[in-house]
């Protein structure tokens, strides 16, 4: 079976083509970073227009990359939420048009299930149940992925997401957009104890998160110390910021592993590309006897292959959600 997946929930226009067994035939995307960088964040209207402009060429390029004709596609999948309303509508509308033109079935996919599916692509033998930490620009969530596509949510952020914390705090430090990868790059070799940034909800005994206090703390720190001091000590401040975010992600993951009785944690979402998170999570796993999994770097941030794989896994297990193909910007897992 071959599935074509479209992803347009935020600022990546993406198309992936995946065959049974997790074989990626194509994974092409257009990143809208240049469009949004001048504004320092994603502008929903600009994102919608850029998706409209690029989606046709992105699908064409993916089909060429896969070197297949439309007859070979068995199912068209698209992200139906969560995400920005306009961008979701563009992808969904395009998917519907494609399905009608090629006379194919169509199915809507939960973007968060797509991120989890990135781990299935990387580890084809991965079977539920396992613990999952989703860390992206819009979500920070710990859940148990159970058989039959059921999810038990153990905790999620009460305010900002981890990626948002990286982006907004990085912006306060004068780094570009998106700041997440730049904070990580700047932090390399820095002193992680330099600035005393808080770890939200550290001692509440629950697997939930809060990053809004960190944002306020970084703002106050920058205001108090002044731009010159910040720029002179940027490496150490970025390292302290990365430490504050990564350490709480690792601590809460350990708590959730113990509370849930799972022996494996699969981390996914854009922030799972963070190398310090990967090494700290691996250290925690080795020390406590847990298996820690990360997707291939190319599958961490939004892409079409993860959407195609999520649909493929459901389809092959008799769980197609074709009746749910309308857009739901606030869609949740579980
Ligand atoms: O999953 P994703 O592409 O989009 C959403 O679904 O939100 O995640 C994007 C987020 C951004 O906040 C970006 O700054 C963050 O992932 N990110 C990183 C790294 N690479 C991407 N954050 C920290 N370190 C990285 N290396
Ligand atoms: Zn995402």
């Amino acid at each position: 079976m071959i599935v074509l997946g479209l992803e347009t929930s935020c600022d990546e226009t993406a198309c992936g083509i995946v065959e049974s067994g997790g074989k990626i035939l194509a994974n092409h995307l257009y990143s809208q970073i240049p469009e949004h960088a001048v504004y320092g964040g994603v502008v929903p209207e600009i994102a919608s227009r850029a998706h409209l402009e690029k989606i046709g060429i992105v699908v064409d390029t993916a089909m060429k990359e896969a070197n297949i004709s439309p007859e070979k596609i068995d199912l068209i999948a698209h992200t139906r939420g969560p995400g920005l309303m306009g961008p979701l509508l563009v992808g969904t509308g395009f998917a519907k048009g494609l399905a009608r033109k090629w006379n194919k079935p169509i199915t809507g996919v939960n973007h968060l299930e797509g991120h989890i599916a990135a781990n299935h692509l990387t580890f084809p033998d991965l079977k539920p149940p396992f613990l999952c930490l989703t860390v992206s620009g819009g979500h920070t969530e710990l859940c148990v992925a159970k058989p039959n596509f059921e999810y038990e949510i153990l905790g999620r952020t009460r305010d900002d997401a981890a990626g948002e914390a990286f982006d907004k705090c990085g912006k306060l430090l004068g780094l570009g957009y998106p700041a997440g990868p730049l904070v990580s790059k700047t932090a390399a070799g820095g002193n992680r104890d330099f600035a005393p940034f808080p770890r939200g909800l550290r001692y509440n005994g629950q697997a939930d998160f809060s990053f809004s206090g960190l944002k306020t703390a970084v703002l106050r720190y920058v205001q108090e110390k002044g731009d010159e001091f910040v720029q002179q000590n940027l490496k150490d401040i970025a390292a302290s910021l990365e430490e504050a975010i990564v350490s709480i992600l690792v601590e809460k993951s350990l708590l959730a592993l113990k509370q849930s009785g799972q022996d494996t944690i699969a981390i996914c979402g854009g922030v799972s590309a963070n190398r310090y998170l990967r090494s700290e999570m691996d250290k925690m796993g080795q020390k406590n006897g847990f298996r820690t999994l990360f997707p291939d770097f190319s599958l961490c941030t939004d892409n079409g292959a993860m959407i195609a794989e999520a649909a493929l896994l459901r389809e092959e297990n008799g769980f197609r959600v074709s009746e749910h193909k309308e857009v739901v910007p606030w869609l949740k897992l579980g």
Side-chain angles (χ1 to χ4, degrees):
M1 168 167 212
I2 299 181
V3 181
L4 179 146
L6 291 178
E7 159 56 36
T8 64
S9 66
C10 191
D11 59 347
E12 257 101 25
T13 314
C15 177
I17 302 172
V18 175
E19 194 172 5
S20 301
K23 189 166 172 224
I24 299 175
L25 304 181
N27 200 16
H28 185 68
L29 65 80
Y30 172 76
S31 167
Q32 300 177 7
I33 287 175
E35 275 89 338
H36 302 291
V38 277
Y39 301 98
V42 178
V43 183
E45 263 314 304
I46 293 177
S48 306
R49 262 180 251 170
H51 284 306
L52 257 180
E53 267 170 32
K54 303 292 182 191
I55 193 161
I57 184 81
V58 165
V59 171
D60 274 355
T61 309
M63 290 294 284
K64 283 193 189 118
E65 205 175 298
N67 196 21
I68 52 169
S69 58
E71 298 87 71
K72 299 271 187 224
I73 304 285
D74 297 297
L75 175 67
I76 291 174
H78 64 95
T79 302
R80 61 185 284 257
L84 300 169
M85 176 61 105
L88 287 169
L89 282 171
V90 174
T92 300
F94 195 90
K96 286 180 182 175
L98 210 54
R100 184 164 285 196
K101 183 174 169 208
W102 291 351
N103 196 22
K104 304 289 173 188
I106 175 171
T107 188
V109 170
N110 184 318
H111 182 80
L112 300 170
E113 195 166 285
H115 275 304
I116 296 173
N119 267 305
H120 287 282
L121 279 172
T122 308
F123 305 98
D125 297 333
L126 178 64
K127 295 264 179 301
F130 55 86
L131 183 71
C132 196
L133 171 69
T134 306
V135 267
S136 68
H139 294 86
T140 299
E141 194 163 277
L142 274 161
C143 70
V144 179
K146 297 180 164 179
N148 299 340
F149 305 94
E150 284 173 4
Y151 300 93
E152 183 191 345
I153 307 297
L154 302 180
R156 48 167 71 106
T157 181
R158 295 190 188 174
D159 37 57
D160 296 347
E164 196 179 350
F166 265 113
D167 292 341
K168 290 188 173 159
C169 296
K171 191 174 171 183
L172 291 169
L173 299 181
L175 297 170
Y177 163 84
L182 299 172
V183 169
S184 176
K185 215 171 144 192
T186 310
N191 174 4
R192 299 194 180 274
D193 299 320
F194 185 79
F197 294 140
R199 279 89 164 130
L201 305 179
R202 189 175 193 179
Y203 300 111
N204 74 345
Q206 290 166 22
D208 50 0
F209 302 87
S210 169
F211 291 102
S212 61
L214 174 63
K215 199 170 56 185
T216 311
V218 173
L219 176 65
R220 294 233 170 95
Y221 186 85
V222 171
Q223 284 170 342
E224 265 169 35
K225 301 282 180 184
D227 282 346
E228 205 182 321
F229 176 89
V230 169
Q231 291 315 311
Q232 275 167 1
N233 297 283
L234 196 56
K235 181 195 272 242
D236 295 334
I237 299 169
S240 305
L241 171 62
E242 191 174 45
E243 176 68 31
I245 299 173
V246 165
S247 63
I248 199 73
L249 292 175
V250 174
E251 281 179 28
K252 296 279 180 164
S253 296
L254 177 59
L255 182 78
L257 279 162
K258 287 180 177 166
Q259 284 180 350
S260 66
Q262 299 299 318
D263 60 5
T264 298
I265 178 167
I267 298 100
C268 63
V271 180
S272 66
N274 184 283
R275 288 179 190 275
Y276 187 56
L277 174 66
R278 287 177 175 240
S279 73
E280 289 299 290
M281 203 61 99
D282 284 345
K283 264 192 231 162
M284 177 278 284
Q286 278 156 21
K287 191 171 162 206
N288 296 280
F290 297 116
R291 190 173 169 225
T292 51
L293 306 176
F294 288 88
D296 256 23
F297 280 104
S298 62
L299 298 170
C300 292
T301 45
D302 293 349
N303 64 88
M306 71 184 203
I307 301 302
E309 173 70 358
L312 207 151
L313 289 172
R314 277 197 178 251
E315 185 73 14
E316 291 192 329
N317 289 284
F319 282 87
R320 187 186 313 166
V321 283
S322 52
E323 69 274 24
H324 297 312
K325 57 180 180 284
E326 298 309 328
V327 163
V328 184
W330 54 87
L331 193 63
K332 290 196 175 355
L333 259 193

